[in-house]
Amino acid sequence: MTANTMIRNYRAYSAADRYIIGYLDNHNVYMVETDKIMPRFLHMEKASQKNGGGYSLRLRITKDRKQELKNQNPVCLGSEMILKSTLYNRGEMFEKAVTEYLGQTWTKDNKPFYKGGDIETKDHSYQVKFDGATVTTESVLKRARQELKSS
């Protein structure tokens, strides 16, 4: 599968209508809300054997992309310390911070992106991704196609 095909399928199958992406800058955590994750932020990489081998799409926010995000009125959620945890990874802690920023209580879930957003509000279903996150993999896209076709 090519990167363009993976991006197109991800967008087609996604149950979210908005996205919140996060990044670190000067030891602070920022979030930006957007209607889609632009392809220039996504990189196709070889997935680990633990994750099925194949390829994955990862969110990679370069220095130039950070500058681009700074022009979109990012919200500072706090210092990088909010990402520290012995139980959860940085992406999960970012999702927790965003959820609490939106006035909700965070609970960890493993719902696939094609079945619902990470955060549901009365207005939007959000997919939340932090810099370096795996957005999707070839195997997940294949599973989404099969499950959505049969429903």
Side-chain angles (χ1 to χ4, degrees), residues 65-76:
R65 298 297 165 237
K66 268 186 200 175
Q67 190 55 51
E68 191 178 323
L69 292 172
K70 287 180 189 180
N71 296 332
Q72 295 182 27
N73 299 316
V75 173
C76 181

Side-chain angles (χ1 to χ4, degrees), residues 80-92:
E80 65 187 329
M81 294 307 293
I82 67 171
L83 302 178
K84 301 284 186 215
S85 172
T86 56
L87 297 176
Y88 302 108
N89 65 39
R90 290 174 5 139
E92 292 165 334

Side-chain angles (χ1 to χ4, degrees), residues 4 17 25 29 31 57 72 94 98 106 118-119 126 143:
N4 286 338
D17 63 332
D25 191 41
V29 178
M31 66 174 244
L57 275 181
Q72 295 182 27
F94 175 68
V98 170
W106 180 73
D118 295 319
I119 302 172
Y126 294 99
R143 185 168 53 248

